[in-house]
Amino acid sequence: MNQQLRMTKQRAAVAGALDATDEFRSAQQLHELLRDRGDAVGLATVYRTLQALAAGGEVDVLRTDDGEALYRRCARTEHHHHLVCRSCGHAVEIDGPTVESWAVRVGASQGFSDIEHTIELWGTCADCRAAAAHSG
Amino acid sequence: MNQQLRMTKQRAAVAGALDATDEFRSAQQLHELLRDRGDAVGLATVYRTLQALAAGGEVDVLRTDDGEALYRRCARTEHHHHLVCRSCGHAVEIDGPTVESWAVRVGASQGFSDIEHTIELWGTCADCRAAAAHSG
DNA sequence: CCAAGGCTGAGAATCGTTCTCATGACTCGC
DNA sequence: GCGAGTCATGAGAACGATTCTCAGCCTTGG
Ligand SMILES: [Zn+2]
Ligand SMILES: [Zn+2]
Ligand SMILES: [Zn+2]
Ligand SMILES: [Zn+2]
């Protein structure tokens, strides 16, 4: 089926970078991370790889307030949402069982079909709050 | 307070365009709309005005999957969410009372502060579905 | 080891959005 | 009405993120 996907050093590097962190990261951050690590990979390749991983459901993508895409390889591939620190990207996977059914119900009641939902929580994690307190 | 804001023909035009539609629209769509209408307004001004309106809570902003910002003047200014048609932008304002408390609770339980939530539902409205059925 | 075709990366190109700055429009006091 | 002081406008440049181009490289199957 997708036998045409080749395992290259670059893809492994990107996947490795994703596995190495627990935080949501932008394509550019991952690109820099790889460069610093010594596994330099072209920016275009980073984007392409993330795109492929996202399409395959292997990484989660979300958008910051200003539209930048952030990626993260979550522990599970089943549907879930996130609570993300807006300053460091640290994330916690969360479930919202009642939210799921609510979304479907509301959508259907308005005559809409193919309902999907975007549900993400943003906040400041304990570490970042402590850091801010010290400097502020 | 904000007495330094002047009511200009351009701002009125943008506000008018927003009032004239019930759908979420991008800055560029509004810009074209105004041009077609005869109330040509510079693109930069459209962006600036939308920004100001959004800052003042007079219009709602949301981001499409690919990061583009969409704006809409909703009937109410109190906190609410939306069910948006991904093909025409038609939107319905919705409430999620249980969702609100869930968001706060989950955020706090993980040690995060300043919790905010992004909750939007996407779907295909009845009209667009009908249109798609005819052509497909 | 080879051919075939996916993969890569530097740089150009897009695209949405913001910035710059010279010019225009308001406001207010006279 | 008139001018100074300001805020607003708009054309175009600048930006930042992402995508595209395409020639050369590398993985894979045999
Ligand atoms: Zn944090
Ligand atoms: Zn969900
Ligand atoms: Zn709204
Ligand atoms: Zn809410």
Side-chain angles (χ1 to χ4, degrees):
Chain A
M1 191 67 165
N2 54 354
Q3 199 54 52
Q4 67 279 10
L5 284 185
R6 293 178 179 175
M7 173 56 74
T8 65
K9 174 179 324 183
Q10 288 87 338
R11 290 194 195 171
V14 172
L18 282 168
D19 288 336
T21 181
D22 213 32
E23 281 84 46
F24 268 96
R25 295 279 178 246
S26 70
Q28 318 229 17
Q29 286 178 318
L30 289 167
H31 176 240
E32 282 178 39
L33 206 98
L34 288 166
R35 172 152 43 62
D36 297 348
R37 250 192 185 195
D39 303 313
V41 173
L43 181 56
T45 299
V46 173
Y47 273 106
R48 276 184 298 237
T49 303
L50 289 173
Q51 204 168 265
L53 289 173
E58 295 201 50
V59 300
D60 284 358
V61 192
L62 54 79
R63 299 249 170 202
T64 62
D65 262 356
D66 51 297
E68 189 178 10
L70 300 182
Y71 306 82
R72 176 183 194 254
R73 166 165 265 152
C74 288
R76 45 182 167 152
T77 52
E78 311 90 68
H79 176 80
H80 62 270
H81 302 281
H82 312 92
L83 167 56
V84 189
C85 173
R86 61 171 80 73
S87 67
C88 73
H90 178 66
V92 178
E93 297 168 35
I94 56 181
D95 288 302
T98 65
V99 172
E100 304 297 326
S101 54
W102 166 79
V104 176
R105 186 163 9 98
V106 172
S109 75
Q110 299 290 336
F112 280 59
S113 51
D114 306 311
I115 312 289
E116 286 182 326
H117 56 269
T118 300
I119 300 180
E120 304 296 346
L121 306 192
W122 296 86
T124 302
C125 72
D127 289 353
C128 287
R129 180 156 26 126
H134 294 167
S135 64
Chain B
M1 190 71 164
N2 52 357
Q3 200 53 51
Q4 68 280 13
L5 282 185
R6 294 178 179 173
M7 175 54 73
T8 65
K9 174 178 326 182
Q10 289 86 339
R11 297 220 245 246
V14 173
L18 282 168
D19 287 335
T21 181
D22 213 32
E23 282 83 47
F24 269 96
R25 294 279 177 246
S26 71
Q28 317 226 21
Q29 286 179 319
L30 289 167
H31 176 239
E32 282 178 39
L33 206 99
L34 289 166
R35 172 152 45 61
D36 296 349
R37 251 192 184 192
D39 303 312
V41 173
L43 181 57
T45 299
V46 173
Y47 272 107
R48 274 185 299 238
T49 304
L50 288 172
Q51 204 168 266
L53 290 172
E58 295 201 53
V59 299
D60 285 359
V61 192
L62 54 79
R63 299 248 170 205
T64 62
D65 262 356
D66 50 298
E68 189 178 8
L70 300 182
Y71 306 82
R72 177 183 194 253
R73 164 165 266 151
C74 287
R76 44 183 168 152
T77 51
E78 311 90 67
H79 176 81
H80 62 271
H81 302 281
H82 312 92
L83 167 56
V84 189
C85 174
R86 60 171 83 73
S87 66
C88 73
H90 178 67
V92 178
E93 298 168 34
I94 56 181
D95 288 301
T98 65
V99 171
E100 304 297 326
S101 53
W102 166 77
V104 176
R105 185 161 12 96
V106 171
S109 75
Q110 300 289 336
F112 281 58
S113 51
D114 306 310
I115 310 291
E116 284 182 326
H117 56 270
T118 299
I119 300 182
E120 305 296 346
L121 307 191
W122 297 86
T124 303
C125 71
D127 288 353
C128 287
R129 182 157 24 126
H134 294 169
S135 63

